[in-house]
Amino acid sequence: YKTIKENTDSLTKKLREDIREKQGIIQDLDEKKASMQNKQNSLIQLKSDSSQAEKNLRIQQENRKKIEAGLQEIEKQIEQKKNFEREIEKAKILFSSKREMILAGNKEISLLQNQIEEIKKLPFSQQELEDTKQKKQEIENKKEEFNKKYLDVLSQINSLNLKIKENETLKATLQKIKLCPTCLQNVDNQYKENIIKKFETQNLESNNKINELSQEKNKLTKEINDLKSQTSELEKRINDLSMLKAKLESLNEKETRIQEIEKNKLSLNQDITLLEKHIAALKQSVLEFSKYDQVYLKKQEEFKAALNLERQADLSFAEIKKEIQMTEALIHEMQEEIEKKEKVKNQLAYATEVENWLSDKFLSIISLTERNVLFKLREEFSKLFNEWFNILVPETFTVRLDED
């Protein structure tokens, strides 16, 4: 029983230490619960604020979209004004182009009129042109005749030169020959000399003839060159007369061209009149649409302000959502911590109950049990001792053990 008491006392001490430890753990449990309740209340408020912030964001978005739609409508009007301004620039360019075309037409008319006056003053004679062509043809015919003579003389000279060359070749061959190639007899030197003299006489006659023909060739060359010079001069004169004739023939073309330019000028002036009216109408339209410039600037400012408010509302909504997420995460952590502390609290209650039972009831029961057991043992021992004493002492005695 002593060991039981000692073990019980040791267990009770450990339980008290465990109780003190658990009491330390749960000492802020109520504060945690109150804090979590505050966070939950705050979360409810945040969700309410989030709903309001989301509603405000939608309102700002709708307002921004409405202003943006109005701005886009004004932009269309501004773009229409710009289109009118671009049309004015195009019309001005076209106007300038047509004015330049009229000026260019006037210059061309003046130039054509001067050319017509100059052409009318040109000294052209059709008879002179025909006579010059006829004379040129006669000279061409004569030049062709001289060319034929020249070729004939040149051919004779070449033929004579060839004959002289052949005679020289035969003379050289004859000087070397000793036997007749036909009869195979010795060739007499006198015979050779006669033949050689004959060749020399023929060559002399040929050279004389060549000299005569060369003089004639030179004369023909001079005549042909003179004819070529005359032909060149006549061709130049024919070209000049032909150009004069062409210029005279172009008078009708130039006069027709002047009529075309005048007709085109009339059309251009009509176009310019229409363009002036068109530009005036476009300027009036631009003036009417100019009122949207100030409206556009005002709308731009409204749009910037609405966009800024939308961004602020979006940022506020996002911040609240972020705070809700953080608060929910914190509440979740606090719930887990409180659950752990509640578990520790239950364990503390159980440990306290066990410690109280061991301290108050278990030890009392052990003490009572010990006393009852000892009392029974004392009675049994007293009874045995009395029996033993009676055996030792025959006389009638009753003995027993006292309480101590």
Side-chain angles (χ1 to χ4, degrees), residues 56-65 68 303-317:
N56 183 49
L57 176 60
R58 285 197 298 269
I59 291 171
Q60 297 301 333
Q61 286 174 339
E62 290 297 324
N63 185 47
R64 188 263 304 163
K65 289 178 181 178
E68 187 176 13
F303 177 72
K304 288 178 182 178
L307 188 62
N308 187 43
L309 289 174
E310 181 185 354
R311 287 173 180 169
Q312 290 177 0
D314 188 32
L315 181 62
S316 176
F317 179 58

Side-chain angles (χ1 to χ4, degrees), residues 334-392:
M334 293 176 74
Q335 283 177 337
E336 289 182 348
E337 186 178 0
I338 288 170
E339 287 175 0
K340 289 179 181 178
K341 288 181 182 292
E342 286 288 351
K343 188 176 181 181
V344 171
K345 182 180 179 181
N346 293 333
Q347 292 173 352
L348 174 62
Y350 177 73
T352 303
E353 186 180 354
V354 171
E355 192 272 334
N356 290 333
W357 182 78
L358 288 174
S359 298
D360 297 337
K361 296 181 180 180
F362 181 72
L363 288 178
S364 299
I365 292 171
I366 292 298
S367 297
L368 179 61
T369 302
E370 183 182 11
R371 284 196 299 271
N372 289 335
V373 170
L374 289 175
F375 180 75
K376 187 176 181 181
L377 287 174
R378 185 173 61 81
E379 284 184 350
E380 290 179 355
F381 180 77
S382 180
K383 182 180 180 181
L384 290 173
F385 178 73
N386 185 46
E387 289 176 356
W388 176 71
F389 186 79
N390 288 329
I391 292 172
L392 291 178

Side-chain angles (χ1 to χ4, degrees), residues 207-221:
N207 283 323
N208 291 333
K209 184 67 175 175
I210 287 172
N211 289 332
E212 293 176 1
L213 290 170
S214 294
Q215 291 177 1
E216 186 177 356
K217 185 188 78 168
N218 292 334
K219 183 179 179 181
L220 287 170
T221 299

Side-chain angles (χ1 to χ4, degrees), residues 260-299:
E260 290 176 353
I261 294 171
E262 290 291 349
K263 184 177 179 181
N264 189 41
K265 279 174 58 181
L266 181 62
S267 176
L268 289 171
N269 283 319
Q270 291 174 350
D271 291 343
I272 286 173
T273 302
L274 291 175
L275 283 171
E276 288 175 341
K277 292 180 180 179
H278 182 55
I279 290 171
L282 289 171
K283 286 182 177 179
Q284 183 62 33
S285 298
V286 168
L287 184 62
E288 291 175 359
F289 277 87
S290 295
K291 63 183 180 182
Y292 291 104
D293 291 337
Q294 293 300 322
V295 178
Y296 180 72
L297 293 175
K298 184 178 178 181
K299 277 291 181 182

